[in-house]
Amino acid sequence: MSDALFPVPAEWAEHALIDSATYLEKYQRSIDDAAGFWRDEAQRIDWIEPFHTVKDTSFDEADFHIRWFEGGKLNITANALDRHLETRGDQVAIIWEPDNPSETVRKITYRELHRDVCRFANVLKSRGVKKGDRVTIYLPMVPEAAISMLACARIGAVHSVVFAGFSPDALAGRIEDCQSNIVITADEGLRGGKPIPLKANVDAACDKVAVETVIMLRRTGADVQIVSGRDVDWTEVMDGASSDCPAELMDAEDPLFILYTSGSTGKPKGVLHTTGGYAVWTSMTHQYVFDYKPNADGKMPVYWCAADVGWVTGHSYVVYAPLINGATQVMFEGVPNFPDHSRFWEVIDKHQVEIFYAAPTALRALMREGDEWVTKTSRKSLRLLGSVGEPINPEAWDWYHRVVGDRRCPIVDTWWQTETGGAMITPLPGATALKPGSASKPMFGVKPEIVDNDGNIQAGATDGPLVITDSWPGQMRTVYGDHDRFFQTYFNTFPGMYFTGDGCKRDEDGYYWITGRIDDVINVSGHRMGTAEVESALVAHDSVSEAAVVGMPHDIKGQGIYAYVTTNADVEDTEDLRAELVKWVRKEIGPIATPDAIQFAPGLPKTRSGKIMRRILRKIAENDVSNLGDTSTLADPSVVDDLLANRKK
Ligand code: 6R9
C-alpha cells in the first residue's frame, strides 16, 4: 500500500458532473432510498413502457430472486442508436483504428451504425434467428463485432461473444453450452501483424458441434474453406438486406447476453445479463466514472477503452454504455506494441483522445520499455485515465500518472467483474482524492463489506473477503442453464451476501484496496483463468495422470500460471514433453492459458482424504518457502521435499 494521496484537481472539482459533496449526498440517498434513487437514474433510458417496480431482490436462499425495473419495456439499441439520430446522426460513433497504422481508419456515424445494425438484424432474421435464440460471435476488434452484438439486441436474440483468442475446443464448448446454431466470424483476425485463423477455428469447432449457419466477414481476404449450405459471406447477405428493422419490445428482465467466464470449479459459466438494469447501470457508471459529457464547444470528447469485445469491459464500456451516452470512441484492432511501443500514445495523438481506459498488464509491459516511447508523443489531448482488470501496483500507477498523464490526469481505478456488469468500486474524477493502488470508494447503490471467514461483517479498517450485501441493477441474473450453480457460486459461501471471490483491505479513510482473488481463479494479464480449467486440459494429455495449477507472481502479467504435473509411470519427464504440454494447453484453451512454468512432480501434496493442499503449492510457486505452514496432515509429507528440490525458476 502506498501512502500517497492525490487531491481532486481544482478544475475537476469545479466542472465534473459529480464533486465530493454530491458524491456523498447521492451515495447516501442510493442506500437510504434505493427505489427513489434508481427511479430517477433510470430516466436516462428511454422506456417504451414505464416500469412499475424499481427493485425487487433478495439474496436469501428461501426467497432468492433479483428483478429490477419490472414492467418496464425497452430496447437497448433504441437507446444506443435511434434516439441519437435526430441530434447526432452525423456524429462519429466509432473511429476504427486498424492493427496496422498504414491501413485506412474507418469512421462510422450514428446514422451509419444504425443502418448497418438494422440490416444485420434483418440478415439474422432471414436466417431464422428469433427473440431468445443464442447467437455466437467470434470476431476480432472490428466494427462488425459491435454491429453483430447490437443486431442481436435489436431483435431480442441473446449474444454470446467468444474472445477471438480462444481455441476451437473452447469455442465448441461455449456453442454447445448455450445451444446456439449460428456463428458470426471472420476469415482471419489481425493482431500485431499476425493473422489469427478464425474461420479455420470455427470449422474445427463445427466438427464437434452442429451449427446451421456461419456468417463470415472478410477481414484479410485469406483463402478459407467454405462449407456450402452452411457458410455465408457477410457482405453478400448485407447487400440485399433492408435497413428497416423495428426494435423488438423487450422486458426489463429479458436476457441481453451471455458471456462465459472462469470460476473456481468446473467449466466456464455463462454469465447472463438482462436488459433494463444493465442499460441503466452501464450508462450511469460510464457517465459518472469518465465524467462523460459534451465539452464546452458542444462536441463529445473522444473516448477510448482499449478492451477487447470478447471481455465484459468490451461489452459494457466499448459497445453498450458509450453508445447509449452518445460517445465518439476509438475502437482499436491492434496491440500496444505494434508496430512499436509508442502505438497507444500515437493513437491518442492521432484521434485526439481525451479519456483512455486500459489494463495494468499493458501498462506494465510498456513501462518496461522505457519512458521515451511515451514522451516523444504529445498526449496533450488526454484529460482522464482509467485502469481495469486487476490490481494496479503503485509503481505502474505512478508511471501512468507521471509519464503518460504528465501528472495532469486523474486515474480512475475501476474494480468490477463480469458478474457485476459495470464499475462497483471506483474513484470519480471530480469527487475522489486518489490513493495509488486503491479502487477507492463504492459506486452509487453498491454496499461493499468485508467479512471474516464466518461471514461476520467487520467494521472499520480491516481486511478479508469482499462481499456486496445488496443488489444493484447491473448484477448478473443467472448462470445460463444452471440457476442452482448461480446461487451456490455466489450466495452460499456467506449466506445473504454476494461473494466476489476477491480479498480486500479497507483503510481508516474507508478506501478499498483489492488484493486479488482468494478463490481458485488466476488473473493472467487481467483475464480470468480457472485453475480447474487448466488442470483438466493438462490431464486430457495422454502422458499426464494428474495436475495441479496455481498462480505465481509475474512482472507483466500480474499472475502467471504454474502447473505441477504428474506423468504416467511409463513416461519420461523430458524438456520436450514440457514444451509439448505448453503447446497442448494453448491448443486446448488458447494462448491466454499458456503455462509459465511446468514442474514435473512424482507426487502432489494431498491430505489423507485426498484433497490437494494448494496452499503449499502456491507458496512453492511464489518462492515463499520459509514457512509452508502445517504439513502434518499430509498423507505423505515427503512429497514436499521433492517439490521444493525441483521448483521451477
Ligand atoms: C472487469 C473485469 C474480474 C476480476 C475481479 C478482480 C480483478 C478487476 C480490478 C480488479 C483490482 C481492479 N479486477 N478490476 N482487481 N483492481 N481495478 O476485469 O472483469 O474479467 O470478470 O475479472 O478481476 O479480481 O474479481 P473480469
Side-chain angles (χ1 to χ4, degrees):
M1 266 166 70
S2 140
D3 292 333
L5 185 73
F6 294 80
V8 176
E11 66 277 20
W12 279 92
E14 199 178 322
H15 297 297
L17 290 165
I18 309 285
D19 62 15
S20 57
T22 317
Y23 170 76
L24 289 174
E25 188 191 310
K26 268 187 176 281
Y27 182 74
Q28 204 53 46
R29 177 167 185 235
S30 75
I31 301 300
D32 297 343
D33 173 23
F37 176 86
W38 288 111
R39 182 176 301 113
D40 290 352
E41 285 295 336
Q43 302 318 314
R44 60 182 60 250
I45 291 301
D46 288 352
W47 299 88
I48 301 167
E49 283 175 33
F51 47 85
H52 54 70
T53 308
V54 175
K55 175 176 188 283
D56 181 9
T57 67
S58 162
F59 290 173
D60 290 330
E61 185 161 18
D63 182 31
F64 180 63
H65 65 279
I66 301 167
R67 290 191 285 269
W68 283 88
F69 307 118
E70 251 178 299
K73 296 208 187 285
L74 74 160
N75 186 289
I76 201 165
T77 71
N79 284 276
L81 302 168
D82 304 57
R83 68 166 170 175
H84 300 315
L85 294 181
E86 206 172 306
T87 48
R88 53 174 111 245
D90 296 321
Q91 180 194 315
V92 172
I94 296 177
I95 305 170
W96 180 73
E97 172 69 25
D99 182 56
N100 190 323
S102 60
E103 240 192 279
T104 313
V105 168
R106 286 167 65 186
K107 291 191 176 169
I108 301 169
T109 64
Y110 274 94
R111 199 180 316 286
E112 290 162 341
L113 191 60
H114 176 265
R115 180 200 62 203
D116 286 354
V117 166
C118 288
R119 272 201 190 147
F120 197 64
N122 281 324
V123 167
L124 292 175
K125 275 194 199 163
S126 74
R127 294 276 142 186
V129 178
K130 298 180 304 295
K131 180 173 179 177
D133 289 353
R134 279 79 53 215
V135 174
T136 299
I137 299 174
Y138 186 63
L139 279 172
M141 281 293 281
V142 289
E144 286 76 7
I147 292 168
S148 304
M149 292 162 74
L150 293 163
C152 290
R154 186 86 182 166
I155 62 173
V158 181
H159 56 73
S160 163
V161 179
V162 178
F163 174 56
F166 277 125
S167 69
D169 277 1
L171 173 62
R174 286 156 172 78
I175 294 172
E176 190 166 38
D177 185 81
C178 71
Q179 296 155 309
S180 90
N181 54 30
I182 175 160
V183 179
I184 302 158
T185 192
D187 49 1
E188 292 182 319
L190 264 187
R191 273 167 68 84
K194 289 195 216 75
I196 301 156
L198 298 181
K199 177 57 168 57
N201 288 353
V202 170
D203 291 340
C206 291
D207 287 343
K208 307 204 163 177
V209 290
V211 162
E212 278 170 28
T213 305
V214 175
I215 303 180
M216 186 192 74
L217 177 78
R218 295 225 177 247
R219 169 64 187 95
T220 63
D223 203 8
V224 291
Q225 173 195 311
I226 299 295
V227 176
S228 84
R230 186 195 72 184
D231 299 352
V232 294
D233 183 281
W234 174 287
T235 314
E236 275 173 31
V237 285
M238 280 291 263
D239 275 352
S242 152
S243 58
D244 180 19
C245 179
E248 185 76 32
L249 198 63
M250 303 296 284
D251 279 330
E253 286 297 347
D254 276 339
L256 176 63
F257 67 82
I258 299 167
L259 182 58
Y260 287 86
T261 192
S262 298
S264 42
T265 54
K267 35 179 202 145
K269 329 179 250 293
V271 166
L272 185 123
H273 281 285
T274 58
T275 308
Y278 181 83
V280 173
W281 177 248
T282 54
S283 57
M284 183 196 81
T285 52
H286 176 263
Q287 186 192 28
Y288 294 152
V289 171
F290 298 108
D291 194 47
Y292 202 78
K293 59 176 193 291
N295 286 331
D297 62 2
K299 284 207 179 122
M300 295 309 258
V302 178
Y303 159 90
W304 177 18
C305 166
D308 193 283
V309 289
W311 310 114
V312 72
T313 308
H315 282 61
S316 298
Y317 297 120
V318 176
V319 177
Y320 288 108
L323 295 176
I324 293 173
N325 288 341
T328 293
Q329 68 172 320
V330 172
M331 181 180 199
F332 179 46
E333 183 183 34
V335 295
N337 56 3
F338 177 81
D340 62 37
H341 306 293
S342 285
R343 186 66 191 280
F344 270 179
W345 327 122
E346 268 162 8
V347 172
I348 286 171
D349 287 351
K350 183 169 170 185
H351 301 300
Q352 291 296 292
V353 172
E354 296 185 41
I355 303 163
F356 178 63
Y357 189 32
T361 183
L363 303 172
R364 284 192 299 264
L366 294 171
M367 178 169 82
R368 200 177 60 157
E369 303 298 332
D371 295 358
E372 207 179 307
W373 296 105
V374 188
T375 53
K376 71 176 195 186
T377 63
S378 158
R379 289 157 290 107
K380 284 279 181 300
S381 58
L382 276 180
R383 290 191 295 116
L384 181 61
L385 300 170
S387 172
V388 61
E390 53 180 316
I392 178 163
N393 46 312
E395 298 71 35
W397 195 99
D398 173 69
W399 183 80
Y400 201 22
H401 185 254
R402 188 170 43 81
V403 181
V404 176
D406 284 330
R407 293 194 167 91
R408 185 181 70 239
C409 309
I411 298 178
V412 286
D413 174 3
T414 62
W415 173 83
W416 58 292
Q417 310 178 297
T418 306
E419 293 87 338
T420 73
M424 298 285 282
I425 300 182
T426 173
L428 301 183
T432 319
L434 305 172
K435 298 190 186 193
S438 170
S440 75
K441 301 275 182 159
M443 175 44 69
F444 304 134
V446 174
K447 288 210 271 190
E449 292 288 358
I450 293 171
V451 293
D452 65 15
N453 288 334
D454 301 321
N456 301 304
I457 291 176
Q458 306 290 100
T462 183
D463 62 283
L466 177 67
V467 299
I468 312 290
T469 60
D470 199 358
S471 184
W472 63 98
Q475 180 168 29
M476 72 182 281
R477 298 298 196 264
T478 193
V479 170
Y480 185 77
D482 198 346
H483 198 57
D484 186 51
R485 190 172 172 203
F486 177 48
F487 183 83
Q488 297 303 332
T489 307
Y490 301 102
F491 304 93
N492 196 36
T493 319
F494 303 113
M497 308 172 198
Y498 168 80
F499 176 42
T500 62
D502 280 317
C504 186
K505 284 187 185 127
R506 185 174 51 216
D507 68 17
E508 320 59 62
D509 301 325
Y511 276 59
Y512 289 83
W513 302 71
I514 308 295
T515 51
R517 302 291 303 196
I518 50 178
D519 53 9
D520 289 322
V521 171
I522 320 181
N523 193 326
V524 187
S525 302
H527 301 148
R528 281 164 65 167
M529 268 329 308
T531 52
E533 265 170 89
V534 185
E535 286 162 7
S536 62
L538 282 164
V539 294
H541 190 279
D542 281 347
S543 303
V544 177
S545 69
E546 203 169 24
V549 168
V550 297
M552 63 184 260
H554 190 288
D555 283 351
I556 290 173
K557 299 179 181 180
Q559 276 191 303
I561 296 177
Y562 193 111
Y564 297 86
V565 170
T566 308
T567 50
N568 294 328
D570 57 345
V571 171
E572 212 185 319
D573 297 342
T574 59
E575 286 309 311
D576 282 352
L577 178 58
R578 208 195 298 276
E580 181 178 324
L581 290 176
V582 170
K583 249 172 69 189
W584 173 262
V585 175
R586 289 172 63 96
K587 181 183 90 54
E588 289 280 298
I589 304 176
I592 57 163
T594 308
D596 296 279
I598 292 184
Q599 173 170 353
F600 290 117
L604 294 172
K606 289 187 188 162
T607 62
R608 288 187 198 97
S609 63
K611 273 210 174 65
I612 296 175
M613 272 176 103
R614 289 167 183 282
R615 173 174 59 79
I616 294 177
L617 296 176
R618 270 191 216 111
K619 288 208 159 199
I620 296 173
E622 287 163 9
N623 204 10
D624 173 18
V625 295
S626 57
N627 176 18
L628 288 181
D630 183 12
T631 55
S632 63
T633 56
L634 288 177
D636 176 7
S638 75
V639 297
V640 173
D641 299 330
D642 176 85
L643 290 173
L644 284 171
N646 293 304
R647 195 185 160 269
K648 287 298 291 179
K649 299 284 173 333

